[in-house]
Amino acid sequence: RIIQVNVNLERQKQQADRLLKSEEGIIKRKKRCFDVEPVFGNIKNNHNFRRFMLRGKQKVEIEWGLIAIAQNIRKKAA
């Protein structure tokens, strides 16, 4: 049995850990809980969006744009 250590991966993990624990990383992590994720949760849970109906990158981008517009209208109306 041979065990190999990927030195590059370990270095990248340490760099990511260092960035997450820096002052700027802590500030960004604090913003994350109220910036983006609740919007996706709202779209998925409350509006039952589970998968795209269309196929292809361009069509998915258009469909996602329509979903985002609908979400913004709902926020303005509330």
Side-chain angles (χ1 to χ4, degrees), residues 7-19:
V7 179
N8 191 31
L9 178 63
E10 291 300 319
R11 183 181 52 78
Q12 288 176 344
K13 283 182 183 179
Q14 289 173 353
Q15 181 183 8
D17 189 52
R18 192 172 55 251
L19 289 172

Side-chain angles (χ1 to χ4, degrees), residues 47-59:
H47 305 292
N48 296 322
F49 179 78
R50 296 289 179 205
R51 62 176 56 183
F52 292 98
M53 291 189 299
L54 305 173
R55 297 292 175 244
K57 187 176 178 183
Q58 186 178 12
K59 292 177 184 176

Side-chain angles (χ1 to χ4, degrees), residues 2-41:
I2 298 172
I3 299 175
Q4 294 180 334
V5 177
N6 187 338
V7 179
N8 191 31
L9 178 63
E10 291 300 319
R11 183 181 52 78
Q12 288 176 344
K13 283 182 183 179
Q14 289 173 353
Q15 181 183 8
D17 189 52
R18 192 172 55 251
L19 289 172
L20 285 171
K21 292 180 179 176
S22 70
E23 277 189 43
E24 186 179 350
I26 291 170
I27 291 169
K28 285 183 179 181
R29 280 188 296 155
K30 285 182 180 178
K31 289 172 98 177
R32 184 176 179 181
C33 65
F34 57 83
D35 265 356
V36 176
E37 290 178 4
V39 174
F40 291 116

